[in-house]
Amino acid sequence: MSGAADRNAMLPKVLVVAVGNPDRADDGVGALAATGLAGRLPPDVSLVARRGDILSLIEEWAGFDAVIFIDAAASMGMPGRIHRIDAGAGELPNEVSFASSHAFGLAEAIALAAALRSLPDTVIVYAIEGASFDGGAAMTPEVTAAAAEVADRVVAEVGRLRCREGKVMSDA
């Protein structure tokens, strides 16, 4: 193996998952953040978007060392507020309610994966409080702004995950 291939083999495998329905106002914040991530992640980092139930992700994240989710959360009084949650323990805090229109959403998928012992070692959730989840409505300005900030945070998070012994390993 070449030096670059050796370095890439040692890097953690990272999956970024943007969750939400862009046709439901602030619920589409994950898709908007994913658009902001285009071309900004290393080529070996996977980026996927999910509109519906995410149960199938439990199989998809097999083999990944880390998964980062971006999703909308019900408003707790401040639309656009960003919560970073380390969900590696398999539980999301009760005070953050995810805005899923499906019977099986992010919180349930993480809990099930933890019970099945199929959760990656690192699970980070970026939850953005929304205000409007009505079909056909526009995304609120605060949530739109938060999507850009979350994209920046995810790029930085991926960089931290790829650090070894205080030295960033690059593809170059």
Side-chain angles (χ1 to χ4, degrees), residues 2-20:
S2 71
D6 287 340
R7 282 192 304 273
N8 284 339
M10 295 185 330
L11 294 173
K13 287 186 65 177
V14 180
L15 173 65
V16 178
V17 181
V19 180

Side-chain angles (χ1 to χ4, degrees), residues 29-167:
V29 70
L32 183 59
T35 300
L37 288 168
R40 298 180 61 197
L41 296 172
D44 61 318
V45 172
S46 298
L47 174 63
V48 297
R50 289 287 184 264
R51 289 178 65 121
D53 288 341
I54 60 169
L55 180 58
S56 64
L57 278 175
I58 293 175
E59 291 178 8
E60 192 168 335
W61 69 46
F64 283 93
D65 302 303
V67 64
I68 301 169
F69 290 100
I70 306 166
D71 197 6
S75 182
M76 294 182 290
M78 190 179 293
R81 180 168 45 182
I82 300 165
H83 300 267
R84 181 193 178 277
I85 303 162
D86 184 346
E91 293 183 24
L92 296 176
N94 290 332
E95 64 271 10
V96 177
S97 175
F98 292 90
S100 176
S101 62
H102 303 279
F104 201 90
L106 180 58
E108 292 83 7
I110 290 173
L112 178 60
L116 297 173
R117 299 195 190 305
S118 63
L119 201 61
D121 292 337
T122 302
V123 179
I124 304 297
V125 177
Y126 283 95
I128 303 165
E129 289 186 39
S132 172
F133 298 93
D134 297 331
M139 191 175 292
T140 57
E142 299 88 353
V143 173
T144 299
E149 184 177 338
V150 166
D152 291 342
R153 289 186 187 190
V154 168
V155 169
E157 189 85 50
V158 168
R160 280 191 297 277
L161 289 169
R162 294 167 59 91
C163 282
R164 294 276 195 248
E165 299 168 11
K167 180 179 176 186

